[in-house]
């Protein structure tokens, strides 16, 4: 039986210091797992200590499959079991639940062995066929945590403490009160004056929403968020303000009710005020729809933290709001409320996981000054400044970034990293995953649907589409992410970097590809670089609210399989426009049509078209012939003017009803619609020779 009396005395003393400062602290425990568990169990003496662990040895142990199962909760202390796997998102989420005066106990193996220790978390990012013998994420983590001002209990080296005493601190609630006043103004003021609330975690953002509802008891308020669990804080503070019992399963309390984004937009219920919490987790297209329909709306979001939010929200959505709503306001909550300013634990987590990395924009104007190079994962941990710039730029460019991105960047096997610089300053980065080189027998099992080897997403898709093992046995390259300095968009930086990547990948890979949420500008970009779409997802992606498209480009001549995949996609897409692709934007349809090749029409089809040229055309008598002609020779749609192109796509290819077309084109009635359709049909038929 171990005697942990001295350790417990130090923890008790630290807790007393933290309580006076309204701060939280990290206590690192390293050594053999059995010793670490025994020590930590001596600290856990109540149910208000959360322990994230897969071990049955540890008191209060849970291992939630989703982080939102612990987000929004608060604990006096918390324990993270690193022996169960060092998952950055789980560690960060748990740290966010610790209350002022509390401690996060972190258990790990001996620090000098951390980089070669078989971390269970690596299984989630390893590609099939690749084993990671060293974790560069863990190597960096070990180096940084060793120097942090924290309390360290080591089985081998005893006790180390370099904690600096914190002065007494009070928590400043005034910024939150000002925020509440702004929310009340939106509810009571003029329409179309949206409010954006930006905050780090623990700043009282969600609480402010609930407290505002309490002050607006005469208003019908809807609270919208992707996860109901994320709204618990709002409902809890509303219940406290009304002095009523709080039921965490209740989705309506007094004048406040919860709705997820999809249900909200499907039914569009009326309300006096709409509150959107964790807005950065909602796809920007959905936010724009919400903004259009609801005249009094507040968007609140955590911008640095643990919900997996990126910077696309601030770039795309915030800029749109400021440009189109001159009376819009932005409130930033900087003052923490769960703990006092300069909290040690918050700073430790940010430093360890690079959550506070900020990208320095370059205002690059001269593409001729660019230099491109490939960098290794090892070089990133040797250059902390470059690492933080890379991770910040990647987060800034994608509004569904994750706390785990740093681990993927440093530890994902078969990954290549390319960057562009202007005078040694980062302006663009591209992450490439190398896929394939899989045994033929396994490749056949993949094609039959019996195996799904991790990490070969594009290769698997191409093999299953083509029923060919070549896409799995040969090497291919997939763009995981590409990000360009926001101040240098539309200058050709992305194209320049993709061209450099292609040059470097060609000796190794047969194909180059990418998958992304299909929008007209993005498709234009990739098609202009010679990439051809071969698959469009049947369902909209939850993170982008768009259909995911896969584009590929052969890096060597003589690839007949690409032609077959392209034609196969053309046939599937044309059918899909009448079914599951019926609602996608007509401009996206137009761009996809541009990627398809033409075939000669049969003499009979040409004869039918010529018979329609000089007649008054009825939509339903001509649509079948026109549909067939477009499927065979889609390039003819490209030659039409914009109104005719849209009308042909929506009436023939997507089979919109007359009512839908009248609304789309703001036409007065059926007679005007028939005239417009006849004109469009004649214009199209004239293109066929």
């Amino acid at each position: 039986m171990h005697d942990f009396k001295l350790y417990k005395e130090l923890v008790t003393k630290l807790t007393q210091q933290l309580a006076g400062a309204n701060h939280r602290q990290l206590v690192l425990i390293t050594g053999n797992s059995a010793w670490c568990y025994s020590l930590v169990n001596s600290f856990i003496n109540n149910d208000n200590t959360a322990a994230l662990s897969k071990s049955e040895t540890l008191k209060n142990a849970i291992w939630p499959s989703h982080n939102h199962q612990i987000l929004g909760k608060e604990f006096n202390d918390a324990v993270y079991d690193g022996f169960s796997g060092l998952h950055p998102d789980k560690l960060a989420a748990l740290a966010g639940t610790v209350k002022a005066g509390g401690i996060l106990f972190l258990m790990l193996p001996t620090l000098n062995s951390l980089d070669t220790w078989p971390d269970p978390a690596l299984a989630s990012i390893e590609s099939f066929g690749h084993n990671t013998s060293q974790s560069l994420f863990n190597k960096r983590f070990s180096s940084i945590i060793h120097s942090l001002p924290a309390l360290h209990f080591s089985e081998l080296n005893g006790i180390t403490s370099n904690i600096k005493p914190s002065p007494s601190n009070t928590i400043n609630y005034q910024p939150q009160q000002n925020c509440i006043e702004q929310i009340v103004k939106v509810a009571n003021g003029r329409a179309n004056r949206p409010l954006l609330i930006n905050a780090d975690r623990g700043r009282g953002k969600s609480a402010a929403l609930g407290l505002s509802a309490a002050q607006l008891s005469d208003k019908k308020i809807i609270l919208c968020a992707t996860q109901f669990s994320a709204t618990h804080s709002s409902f809890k503070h509303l219940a406290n303000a009304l002095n009523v019992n709080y039921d965490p399963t209740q989705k309506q309390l007094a004048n406040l009710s919860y709705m997820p984004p999809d249900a909200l937009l499907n039914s569009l219920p009326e309300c006096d005020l709409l509150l959107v919490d964790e807005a950065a987790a909602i796809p920007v297209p959905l936010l724009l729809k919400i903004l259009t329909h609801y005249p009094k709306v507040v968007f609140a979001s955590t911008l640095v933290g643990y919900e997996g939010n990126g910077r696309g929200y601030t770039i795309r959505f915030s800029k749109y709001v400021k440009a189109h709503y001159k009376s819009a306001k932005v409130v930033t909550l900087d003052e923490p409320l769960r703990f006092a300013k300069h909290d040690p634990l918050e700073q430790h987590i940010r430093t360890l996981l690079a959550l506070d990395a900020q990208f320095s924009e370059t205002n690059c104007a001269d593409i001729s000054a660019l230099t491109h190079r490939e960098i290794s994962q090892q070089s990133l941990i040797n250059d902390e400044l470059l690492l933080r710039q890379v991770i910040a730029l990647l987060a800034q460019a994608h509004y569904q970034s994750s706390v785990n991105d740093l681990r993927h960047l440093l530890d994902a096997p078969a990954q290549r990293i390319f960057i562009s610089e202007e005078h040694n300053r980062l302006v663009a980065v591209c992450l490439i995953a190398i896929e394939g080189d899989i045994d033929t027998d396994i490749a056949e099992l993949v094609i039959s649907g019996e195996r799904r080897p991790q990490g070969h997403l594009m290769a698997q898709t191409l093999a299953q589409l083509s029923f060919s093992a070549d896409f799995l046995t040969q090497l291919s390259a997939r763009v995981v992410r590409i990000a360009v300095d926001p101040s240098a968009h539309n200058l050709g930086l992305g194209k320049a970097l993709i061209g450099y990547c292609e040059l470097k990948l060609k000796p190794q890979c047969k194909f180059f590809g990418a998958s992304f949420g299909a929008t007209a500008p993005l498709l234009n970009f990739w098609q202009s670089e010679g990439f051809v779409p071969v698959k469009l997802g049947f369902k909209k992606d939850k993170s982008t609210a768009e259909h995911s498209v896969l584009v590929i480009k052969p890096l060597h001549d003589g690839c007949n399989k690409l032609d077959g995949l392209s034609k196969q996609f053309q046939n599937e897409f044309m059918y899909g426009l009448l079914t599951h692709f019926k609602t996608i934007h007509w401009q996206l349809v137009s761009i996809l049509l541009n990627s398809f090749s033409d075939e000669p029409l049969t003499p009979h089809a040409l004869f039918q078209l010529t018979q329609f040229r000089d007649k008054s055309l009825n939509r339903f008598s001509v649509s079948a012939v026109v549909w067939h002609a477009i499927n065979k020779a889609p390039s003819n749609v490209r030659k039409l003017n914009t109104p005719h192109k849209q009308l042909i796509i929506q009436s023939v290819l997507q089979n919109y009803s007359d009512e839908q077309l009248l609304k789309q084109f703001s036409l007065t009635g059926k007679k005007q619609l028939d005239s417009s359709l006849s004109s469009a049909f004649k214009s199209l038929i004239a293109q066929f020779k």
Side-chain angles (χ1 to χ4, degrees), residues 68 206 209 213 220-236 238 246-265 267 269-271 273-279 281-282 290 294:
H68 65 74
S206 297
L209 301 181
K220 180 182 178 182
I221 303 174
I222 294 176
L223 177 57
C224 175
T226 54
Q227 297 287 345
F228 173 58
S229 58
T231 68
H232 288 345
S233 176
S234 300
F235 279 104
K236 183 177 179 180
L238 173 60
Y246 167 63
D247 179 358
T249 65
Q250 192 174 347
K251 295 187 178 181
Q252 181 165 352
L253 177 62
N255 60 325
L256 184 67
S257 58
Y258 165 76
M259 288 192 78
D262 53 350
L264 179 81
L265 289 171
S267 58
E270 293 184 1
C271 64
L273 177 66
L274 176 65
L275 305 174
V276 182
D277 201 4
E278 294 311 339
I282 299 174
I290 289 172
Y294 288 96

Side-chain angles (χ1 to χ4, degrees), residues 127 130 374-377 380 394 405-418 430-435 478 480-481:
S127 295
H130 296 271
E374 182 174 0
I375 58 174
S376 67
Q377 292 164 313
L380 283 176
L394 289 170
D405 287 349
L406 178 64
R407 172 133 226 182
H408 279 270
L409 178 67
L410 294 177
D411 282 346
Q415 178 178 254
R416 296 177 68 173
I417 308 167
F418 299 90
C430 186
L431 302 186
I432 303 286
I434 305 300
E435 300 183 355
R478 173 174 58 89
V480 178
R481 280 190 180 178

Side-chain angles (χ1 to χ4, degrees), residues 319-393:
K319 283 186 177 180
Y320 180 90
V321 171
K322 292 172 186 176
H324 292 82
Y325 295 83
K326 300 304 181 184
S327 297
K329 285 194 173 182
V330 178
V331 171
T332 301
L333 293 175
D334 293 320
E335 291 278 344
L337 295 185
R338 293 184 192 170
F339 39 84
K341 287 181 73 173
H342 311 300
D343 177 66
L345 178 58
E346 181 178 58
Q347 191 53 56
H348 294 344
I349 295 297
R350 288 184 174 190
T351 303
L352 287 165
L353 305 179
L355 292 177
D356 55 353
Q358 298 290 324
F359 180 71
S360 301
E361 295 186 2
T362 60
N363 296 312
C364 173
D366 183 10
I367 193 171
S368 65
L370 287 184
T371 58
H372 312 289
R373 62 186 174 109
E374 182 174 0
I375 58 174
S376 67
Q377 292 164 313
Q378 179 68 52
S379 69
L380 283 176
I381 67 164
N382 294 336
D383 188 341
E384 181 70 14
L385 178 61
L386 178 59
L387 170 65
R388 293 174 73 84
Q389 286 292 285
V390 167
I391 200 70
L393 180 55

Side-chain angles (χ1 to χ4, degrees), residues 598-662:
D598 286 353
E599 292 181 10
L601 266 64
T602 63
H604 179 67
L606 285 170
F607 172 76
Q608 283 183 295
L609 288 173
T610 58
Q611 298 307 302
F612 288 124
R613 281 181 181 164
D614 300 320
K615 296 180 180 179
S616 180
L617 302 180
N618 175 280
R619 174 185 179 185
F620 295 104
S621 65
V622 73
S623 288
V625 178
V626 170
W627 186 93
H628 172 78
I630 294 173
N631 192 15
K632 285 288 186 181
S635 68
N636 291 289
V637 176
R638 190 187 316 155
K639 304 168 187 175
L640 301 178
N641 63 38
T642 299
H644 283 169
K645 188 183 298 182
Q646 180 181 354
L647 193 53
I648 290 293
I649 287 172
Q650 292 182 329
S651 66
V652 177
L653 301 186
Q654 295 182 293
N655 195 28
Y656 274 29
S657 66
D658 287 352
E659 291 74 18
Q660 287 175 305
L661 293 171
L662 287 169

Side-chain angles (χ1 to χ4, degrees), residues 194 287-294 297 299 317 320-321 325:
L287 293 175
L288 295 176
K289 289 181 181 179
I290 289 172
L291 186 63
T292 301
H293 187 81
Y294 288 96
V297 59
F299 298 95
F317 185 64
Y320 180 90
V321 171
Y325 295 83

Side-chain angles (χ1 to χ4, degrees), residues 391-615:
I391 200 70
L393 180 55
L394 289 170
Q396 193 173 52
H398 295 81
Y399 56 83
Q400 275 296 322
S401 60
S402 165
V403 180
N404 286 332
D405 287 349
L406 178 64
R407 172 133 226 182
H408 279 270
L409 178 67
L410 294 177
D411 282 346
Q415 178 178 254
R416 296 177 68 173
I417 308 167
F418 299 90
I419 63 172
S420 300
E421 295 169 301
E422 182 195 39
H423 306 303
N424 296 318
R425 295 180 64 189
L426 184 72
V427 295
V429 59
C430 186
L431 302 186
I432 303 286
I434 305 300
E435 300 183 355
D437 196 22
I438 290 177
D439 181 84
T440 303
D441 292 338
I442 295 176
E444 295 296 339
L445 293 175
V446 173
I447 293 170
S448 66
E450 297 176 60
R451 290 286 300 270
R452 285 193 64 83
Q454 182 169 291
H456 300 266
L457 302 177
M458 183 179 75
Q460 288 182 68
T461 300
L462 294 174
Q464 289 171 336
L465 286 173
S466 64
F467 300 99
S468 170
D470 289 353
F471 287 108
L472 284 162
T473 58
Q474 297 173 345
L475 287 175
S476 58
R478 173 174 58 89
V479 175
V480 178
R481 280 190 180 178
I482 181 169
V484 173
D485 182 341
S487 69
H489 282 177
N490 302 315
L491 295 178
L493 273 68
K495 290 186 176 183
L497 182 54
I498 286 293
Y500 178 79
C501 293
E502 184 179 326
L503 183 67
K504 293 297 181 180
L505 293 166
K506 190 171 182 177
Q508 181 185 11
C509 300
K510 295 288 185 181
F511 285 93
F512 195 13
S515 180
F516 50 89
T519 64
L522 276 178
L523 262 175
N524 266 330
F525 170 83
W526 288 101
Q527 288 185 195
S528 69
E529 294 303 294
F531 289 79
V532 177
V534 294
K535 181 178 175 59
L536 191 66
F538 294 152
K539 296 180 180 179
K540 289 184 178 181
D541 186 89
K542 289 182 179 180
S543 64
T544 63
E546 293 150 357
H547 294 270
S548 180
V549 64
L550 173 63
V551 296
I552 59 172
K553 178 180 183 177
L555 296 180
H556 300 273
D557 295 334
C559 180
N560 299 324
K561 290 186 176 63
L562 176 59
D563 294 335
L565 283 176
S566 180
K567 188 60 183 177
Q568 179 179 312
F569 173 60
Q570 178 177 338
N571 293 333
E572 291 175 354
F573 179 68
M574 294 296 288
Y575 170 77
L577 287 173
L578 298 172
T579 54
H580 38 269
F581 298 142
K582 192 169 183 175
T583 59
I584 68 174
H585 199 280
W586 73 269
Q587 288 181 326
L588 184 60
V589 177
S590 176
I591 292 170
L592 285 167
L593 291 177
N594 292 343
S595 69
F596 299 151
S597 57
D598 286 353
E599 292 181 10
L601 266 64
T602 63
H604 179 67
L606 285 170
F607 172 76
Q608 283 183 295
L609 288 173
T610 58
Q611 298 307 302
F612 288 124
R613 281 181 181 164
D614 300 320
K615 296 180 180 179

